[in-house]
Amino acid sequence: MQVNEFKPLIVAFCCNWCSYAGADLAGNNRLSYPADVKIIRVPCSCRVNPMFVLRAFQRGADGVIICGCHPGDCHYTSGNYYTRRRMTLLFSMLDYLGIEKERTRVEWVSAAEGAKFASTMNDFVSKITQLGKNKRLEDLRCKK
Amino acid sequence: MQKISRDKLIKKASNLLNSGIVRCVLGWKRGEFDYDITPNVFTTEKELIDDFVWNDFCGANLSKYLVSKTQGVDGKILVFLKPCDTYSFNQLLTEHRFDRERAYVIAVPCEGMADINKIKQITNEGISSIEFNEDTLSISTLYNEEPIKIAYDRVLSERCLNCKSKKHVVYDELLGDDGEILESNRFDEVEKIEKMSSEERFEFWQGELSRCIRCNACRDVCPACTCEKCVFDNPESGVENKASANSFEEKLFHIIRAYHVAGRCTDCGECSRVCPQNIPLHLLNRKFIKDINEFYGEFQAGEKIGMRSPLIDYTTDDIEPNEAVNRRDS
Ligand code: SF4
Ligand code: SF4
Ligand code: FES
């Protein structure tokens, strides 16, 4: 049997009010998701400047996922609508440059959706594991 | 050749200078070579007569210079703007980068600007002088006895071949006749790249972007890039210097540069014009413009003063990011 040694590094930006609470709920309910997911808590999904996503890749992430409240439910009313536009343009540009489109994702996860949080992360990690290491967006300037 | 004569521009500017309506004139001046024309501020009629230039190499978009030139001095500045330059002017006003009252805009019709690189492909280096005729340029070089005659349309710059508008969207005075907004094919190249496979796209951009020498000229010239402090000068940013290990690392610079002007880039083409490495930066800008048009409705930055950029706007039923990217492939 071939053993896949590759463990991807995943950065998940989670908004404090929904998705971070969703991650908490997943934990409380003992739903497991891989430890390779590094959660960065942000006050709102729209705090995620497109540069944060690039920076994560630059520093060695293999996949980046942004999670926020469902459209219409943002704690600040409209933050995630801006996130949606920004990330649409960013993802489309990355795809245009030939970066694998599977490496970036946006998911809306509410505080009540612990199960969705866990399954989203499991799915994302398995997709990135199949894809392998991020070569196309790495930056040796920032590697230790 | 440009239809409006240099003399007409000088006369107009001199009258406004001499009558005290404007304090100085933002125009073009010859640089080291006939084809290397740079922006310049003129303060007297004599300076204009001696140095002012208006010909097929006046590609430089003068609108950005208003930001610094209107600061800390009194009076109005006369500025000559071609149709595409007026979009940048409006965009700068939208972003409150200078005071409209301080500028006196003279709209100059444009027949399209020549690309010196296309000329050099025909004549080679060593160009000593250029003469402008009705439909041709006569290029004298150090290595040819007779001047080489080239038809204008063979050496028109890429951005002018895909000109989006011959109409000035703002001015105080118009010289000659105004043109129309045009139907251009400016997204054709972008579509070609979109049709490639992911690997092909990666290869294509690696080939282009690896040539970047990080001179930052594309940023410096861009009328949409007017921040006083720039991320590319910040040593903490990780993208301030030339990548050393893998030249394709420069892509981060390019994504950030293009993204910073997304929704604000007027597609004036200055970045591609000044790039010493001939990197087709307009293909990055136009990708953003095309996506914005497709996802959020037609939008031309700088068309009117005060328009809201699509990136600081939204509707509740916008397309989802992953859906947008996947749709392209289906
Ligand atoms: S990015 Fe290029 S085309 Fe767009 S406004 Fe700046 S210089 Fe002009
Ligand atoms: S002008 Fe060209 S070479 Fe210079 S930084 Fe921009 S893309 Fe790179
Ligand atoms: S607070 Fe959750 S997306 Fe804005």
Side-chain angles (χ1 to χ4, degrees), chain B residues 256-319:
Chain B
I256 298 165
R257 187 206 61 81
Y259 204 125
H260 262 143
V261 296
R264 309 188 299 115
C265 165
T266 61
D267 201 7
C268 71
E270 282 289 86
C271 44
S272 294
R273 178 181 70 88
V274 299
C275 177
Q277 297 293 84
N278 296 321
I279 296 171
L281 295 160
H282 56 278
L283 296 180
L284 295 174
N285 306 325
R286 284 183 186 164
K287 168 65 177 168
F288 277 126
I289 297 173
K290 181 170 177 283
D291 277 354
I292 287 172
N293 286 347
E294 270 175 36
F295 299 140
Y296 312 123
E298 293 279 322
F299 181 83
Q300 171 58 55
E303 199 173 358
K304 292 192 195 78
I305 300 170
M307 282 195 313
R308 198 180 173 115
S309 151
L311 271 163
I312 49 168
D313 205 356
Y314 66 87
T315 65
T316 50
D317 51 8
D318 284 336
I319 191 164

Side-chain angles (χ1 to χ4, degrees), chain A residues 15-26 110-112 114:
Chain A
C15 109
N16 182 38
W17 303 100
C18 285
S19 312
Y20 195 79
D24 240 5
L25 186 64
S110 81

Side-chain angles (χ1 to χ4, degrees), chain B residues 106-126:
Chain B
I106 302 216
V108 218
C110 173
E111 304 303 314
M113 291 289 153
D115 178 348
I116 186 60
N117 292 315
K118 286 191 180 175
I119 294 176
K120 283 181 180 170
Q121 273 171 14
I122 302 171
T123 64
N124 264 322
E125 299 288 333

Side-chain angles (χ1 to χ4, degrees), chain B residues 39-231:
Chain B
N40 190 53
V41 176
F42 302 85
T43 48
T44 64
E45 182 170 1
K46 178 160 187 321
E47 280 174 21
L48 284 165
I49 293 168
D50 290 348
D51 292 330
F52 184 87
V53 172
W54 170 245
N55 62 30
D56 303 274
F57 295 98
C58 292
N61 176 346
L62 303 176
S63 54
K64 181 178 187 174
Y65 299 90
L66 289 166
V67 177
S68 58
K69 298 294 173 211
T70 52
Q71 257 166 39
V73 271
D74 292 331
K76 278 186 193 272
I77 297 187
L78 186 162
V79 61
F80 288 108
L81 298 180
K82 306 185 291 295
C84 53
D85 306 339
T86 58
Y87 288 80
S88 314
F89 182 92
N90 270 353
Q91 186 59 31
L92 285 161
L93 285 178
T94 301
E95 294 167 12
H96 310 286
R97 301 301 287 126
F98 60 87
D99 184 0
R100 174 68 183 92
E101 293 309 307
R102 304 293 307 284
Y104 193 96
V105 179
I106 302 216
V108 218
C110 173
E111 304 303 314
M113 291 289 153
D115 178 348
I116 186 60
N117 292 315
K118 286 191 180 175
I119 294 176
K120 283 181 180 170
Q121 273 171 14
I122 302 171
T123 64
N124 264 322
E125 299 288 333
I127 295 174
S128 52
S129 72
I130 299 176
E131 207 182 295
F132 301 87
N133 317 310
E134 184 74 25
D135 304 307
T136 56
L137 289 163
S138 292
I139 318 273
S140 307
T141 79
L142 298 176
Y143 313 109
N144 290 289
E145 311 241 303
E146 291 290 310
I148 304 170
K149 276 199 165 36
I150 306 175
Y152 275 116
D153 43 6
R154 277 183 74 195
V155 292
L156 214 54
S157 62
E158 193 280 340
R159 63 172 165 169
C160 300
L161 285 170
N162 286 307
C163 179
K164 63 182 181 295
S165 172
K166 296 268 187 215
K167 181 184 155 75
H168 294 84
V169 286
V170 60
Y171 55 81
D172 293 306
E173 254 187 271
L174 171 70
L175 295 182
D177 301 318
D178 212 2
E180 304 278 327
I181 293 181
L182 307 173
E183 281 290 330
S184 81
N185 299 322
R186 61 188 171 129
F187 297 119
D188 288 5
E189 285 294 307
V190 176
E191 269 164 31
K192 248 192 242 165
I193 299 171
E194 284 173 352
K195 292 210 178 88
M196 297 177 184
S197 70
S198 178
E199 285 71 28
E200 286 166 344
R201 284 199 294 269
F202 184 74
E203 292 281 311
F204 171 80
W205 285 110
Q206 192 165 28
E208 295 292 345
L209 302 183
S210 307
R211 298 201 309 273
C212 177
I213 54 170
R214 276 311 294 280
C215 63
N216 289 349
C218 49
R219 171 201 66 177
D220 293 347
V221 79
C222 173
C225 280
T226 58
C227 302
E228 277 156 29
K229 284 192 175 159
C230 175
V231 60

